[in-house]
Amino acid sequence: MYLKSGTELKGGKFFVLSFIFIYALILILIGALIGRRAKSASDFFVAGRNLGSGLLFTTLIAANLGAGSTVGVSALAYQHGISAWWWIGSAGIGSMILAFIVGPKIWKIAREHNYYTLSDYLDARFSRAFSGLISIMMAAGTLALFAGQLLGIAWILEAAAEIPKYQGVIIGAVVTTLYFAAGGLLSSAIVNIIEVAVILTGFIVAVPYVLNYAGGIEGIKENISNPSYFDFYGMGSTAIIGYIVMLVPSFFISPGLIGKVFAAKDERSVKIGTSLNGLVQLIFAVIPVIIGMSAYSCFPELSRADLSLPAAMKNMMPFFAASLALAGIFAAEVSTADTVLYMLSGSLTNDIYKRFINPEISDINLLRLSRVITLICGVTGVILALRLESIISALTIFYSLMSVSLSAPLIFGLFTEKASNTGAFLSSLLGAGLTVYMTFGGFGGFIEVSGVKLNASTCGIILSFIAMAVSMIFYRKK
């Protein structure tokens, strides 16, 4: 047993606060130093298109191991057991599709035409109106995603050091915003190297102590009598299909991830860096599942499932291991938050302001505007995070909106010349409309097909693909 004494907890709080200050200062300083090299919008948005496979891997995996993959998946495992693997597992599958199918093809197009963002491609492939619609939808959804990351930071700091939620949210926003605003993707790609090392070290060290506290796998089985808890499909087909349909596309059509792929220096870097990111996700998926299940076997009466990871860190590990775990979690949340800021700044500056308001803006002024918009988004994310209650609910808003509105237009647009602008609009609007309608009670929130219940996002994405396919018959691209 590793229950902390009152003295240790008091000393631990001081250590946590000291660690946060030093670690945050290091990230901000590195961001500022690298930011001095960001002399153009190309440096800010695509790191000068010079990322090799190693840097592309670290900046992708740092983006993908965030609040959802740590606090969120531990909470799902606390509730549903081993089947919580499907959240990160679906993301890993989507990353493999990005590595070998979508990524190389769209990278070639982006390099040939000097695109900075996915919206640049959508503008050229379909229309300015369609890219504007997607940019606005993504900006709204991305703010929810950013708030979810800040919420993850806040809950960890609250559980580990008794830091109030609002202070934790502000700490996360300040750190992320300052180092990203300095140099954009160029800064975050370098900072992500440190963050990935801290994430993986912290979680790998944590697992043996958590399992030992719970009495190993056998101890967990003895404490939990529900057989579905140990079933890979235990949370039910509706939830699993929903995660697959929502998350697999999200990780090969995400504007943030595709923007990072645009920064690769060659096609080989795209394939190696992105596939390694997917492989690590598939393996890492086991770790928060083990932590969540172990926490449930020892502390089944927690008031919130989201507290399972903080509870494990606080009670199931010795002080040094808990400190490493805290470092890993903090790094995970911050590293994903900077990717979200990357998406936001790209949508609001390059995709909306430059395209629709001031097309003649100079490169240096676009860089300055991107930094200002990043700071504004940081403040807005804080306000939204203080109103949200669940990390998974925040992430579901984003992933559902993105998958339903973008998947069919991007896939059809890349792989067939028949896909039209009209079809893209119909696909996105019909899919998103059905998703919103069902989410707020339409059809009772589910449609049953052959005994399987399909949730709102699943039905929305199916309709979007049907609409895109049918549109090619009646509205072929001219």
Side-chain angles (χ1 to χ4, degrees):
M1 296 291 182
Y2 298 108
L3 290 173
K4 314 289 192 300
S5 67
T7 302
E8 188 176 2
L9 285 173
K10 185 176 180 180
K13 180 178 179 180
F14 174 78
F15 174 83
V16 167
L17 292 173
S18 301
F19 158 76
I20 291 170
F21 176 78
I22 295 171
Y23 184 65
L25 186 61
I26 291 172
L27 295 183
I28 293 170
L29 287 175
I30 292 174
L33 289 172
I34 300 300
R36 296 172 63 182
R37 295 167 50 191
K39 304 297 184 182
S40 66
S42 175
D43 291 333
F44 191 90
F45 288 116
V46 291
R49 301 192 196 275
N50 200 37
L51 296 188
S53 56
L55 275 178
L56 182 60
F57 159 69
T58 54
T59 195
L60 285 174
I61 195 64
N64 291 333
L65 299 183
S69 301
T70 53
V71 178
V73 173
S74 295
L76 286 176
Y78 185 89
Q79 295 172 302
H80 302 292
I82 198 171
S83 58
W85 179 91
W86 284 102
W87 181 278
I88 307 180
S90 297
I93 295 169
S95 294
M96 289 301 187
I97 296 174
L98 177 62
F100 298 109
I101 301 175
V102 174
K105 187 172 183 65
I106 201 168
W107 174 85
K108 291 179 182 178
I109 298 172
R111 192 172 187 87
E112 179 181 353
H113 298 284
N114 196 33
Y115 295 155
Y116 289 162
T117 66
L118 176 61
S119 187
D120 286 339
Y121 166 76
L122 295 176
D123 186 342
R125 179 61 182 84
F126 294 111
S127 70
R128 179 168 296 187
F130 180 71
S131 70
L133 171 68
I134 293 298
S135 296
I136 293 170
M137 293 173 67
M138 287 300 98
T142 305
L143 272 174
L145 179 60
F146 182 53
Q149 306 305 320
L150 297 181
L151 207 55
I153 295 172
W155 279 338
I156 289 298
L157 297 181
E158 182 179 9
E162 300 176 4
I163 296 173
K165 174 184 173 181
Y166 79 93
Q167 292 182 11
V169 167
I170 292 172
I171 289 170
V174 168
V175 175
T176 309
T177 303
L178 287 182
Y179 83 71
F180 181 78
L185 185 56
L186 193 61
S187 291
S188 66
I190 303 300
V191 172
N192 289 159
I193 298 174
I194 299 172
E195 291 169 334
V196 168
V198 173
I199 293 167
L200 297 180
T201 301
F203 277 93
I204 290 171
V205 168
V207 168
Y209 289 104
V210 170
L211 276 176
N212 181 59
Y213 187 100
I217 300 299
E218 293 303 319
I220 296 174
K221 290 182 176 180
E222 289 178 8
N223 292 333
I224 302 173
S225 58
N226 182 4
S228 68
Y229 201 75
F230 303 95
D231 186 343
F232 199 57
Y233 306 97
M235 69 170 61
S237 59
T238 299
I240 292 173
I241 292 173
Y243 287 155
I244 292 173
V245 173
M246 176 178 69
L247 291 171
V248 170
S250 294
F251 282 78
F252 64 76
I253 54 94
S254 165
L257 301 181
I258 286 181
K260 294 191 174 196
V261 167
F262 284 179
K265 66 179 182 180
D266 52 39
E267 186 176 345
R268 179 176 178 274
S269 296
V270 173
K271 292 179 179 178
I272 294 177
T274 310
S275 61
L276 185 58
N277 150 69
L279 179 62
V280 171
Q281 282 180 278
L282 293 172
I283 297 172
F284 180 87
V286 177
I287 294 178
V289 170
I290 291 174
I291 294 174
M293 292 175 68
S294 299
Y296 182 72
S297 73
C298 298
F299 313 110
E301 304 299 328
L302 291 178
S303 59
R304 298 178 58 90
D306 286 311
L307 296 175
S308 59
L309 183 54
M313 184 180 67
K314 192 171 183 179
N315 298 305
M316 303 174 77
M317 308 175 200
F319 183 72
F320 86 92
S323 300
L324 281 174
L326 171 65
I329 297 165
F330 188 76
E333 317 311 344
V334 170
S335 64
T336 301
D338 77 44
T339 298
V340 179
L341 281 177
Y342 168 61
M343 294 168 64
L344 272 172
S345 64
S347 291
L348 295 174
T349 57
N350 185 74
D351 301 340
I352 295 177
Y353 182 81
K354 181 180 179 180
R355 184 166 294 128
F356 295 98
I357 300 174
N358 186 8
E360 304 303 320
I361 187 172
S362 68
D363 192 72
I364 190 64
N365 285 335
L366 182 61
L367 172 62
R368 290 169 181 165
L369 177 65
S370 299
R371 287 171 169 158
V372 173
I373 290 296
T374 297
L375 297 175
I376 294 173
C377 289
V379 174
T380 307
V382 169
I383 296 171
L384 184 58
L386 295 177
R387 295 179 175 272
L388 288 173
E389 292 295 327
S390 167
I391 291 173
I392 292 298
S393 66
L395 301 190
T396 300
I397 293 171
F398 170 73
Y399 287 132
S400 296
L401 185 65
M402 183 170 63
S403 295
V404 170
S405 61
L406 257 181
S407 295
L410 180 60
I411 295 302
F412 280 85
L414 278 175
F415 295 101
T416 174
E417 294 183 358
K418 297 178 181 179
S420 67
N421 181 51
T422 302
F425 267 107
L426 287 173
S427 170
S428 293
L429 293 176
L430 288 175
L434 179 61
T435 301
V436 171
Y437 175 69
M438 291 182 62
T439 298
F440 291 98
F443 300 111
F446 297 93
I447 294 177
E448 188 167 339
V449 179
S450 301
V452 177
K453 290 184 176 180
L454 305 179
N455 64 17
S457 58
T458 303
C459 294
I461 199 168
I462 290 173
L463 178 60
S464 70
F465 271 87
I466 292 174
M468 197 70 190
V470 171
S471 73
M472 291 195 301
I473 299 174
F474 299 100
Y475 301 102
R476 290 192 179 188
K477 180 184 178 183
K478 297 180 181 179

